[in-house]
């Protein structure tokens, strides 16, 4: 089966020309106003422009890491089943 290229008439999914970050329930432009092109593997042309990641967007909701226990113990990794 042959599909239409992204952004072309008859394509399975329609994309906006440009997207912003969705932060805290609102669409927010990137801090430095930078976007990048998403290139289609079908025809080698750009079909949308998402925001370029930056420190403001990538660290927006990160919390500080949990410190190691003071007694020198390390947290145990989750158990992994040995059989299916």
């Amino acid at each position: 089966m042959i599909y239409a290229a992204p952004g072309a008439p008859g394509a399975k999914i329609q994309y906006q020309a440009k997207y912003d970050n969705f932060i805290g329930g609102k669409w927010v432009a990137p801090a430095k106003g930078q976007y990048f092109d998403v290139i289609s593997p079908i025809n080698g042309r750009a079909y949308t422009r998402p925001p370029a990641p930056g420190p403001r967007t990538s660290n927006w909701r990160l919390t500080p890491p949990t410190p190691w226990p003071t007694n020198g113990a390390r947290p145990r990794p989750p158990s992994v089943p040995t059989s299916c």
Side-chain angles (χ1 to χ4, degrees):
M1 183 176 282
I2 297 175
Y3 293 100
K12 294 285 184 185
I13 299 173
Q14 298 299 320
Y15 295 93
Q16 294 179 20
K18 183 172 73 168
Y19 289 91
D20 287 332
N21 295 303
F22 190 71
I23 300 175
K26 298 177 184 176
W27 291 103
V28 180
K32 295 184 179 180
Q34 296 177 331
Y35 295 84
F36 67 95
D37 293 333
V38 177
I39 307 297
S40 169
I42 297 170
N43 58 15
R45 292 188 295 203
Y47 63 92
T48 190
R49 300 191 70 203
R56 179 176 165 219
T57 55
S58 59
N59 294 327
W60 188 74
R61 287 277 178 144
L62 294 180
T63 56
T66 304
W68 288 97
T70 56
N71 63 2
R74 291 187 161 201
R76 290 179 54 157
S79 61
V80 177
T82 55
S83 62
C84 293

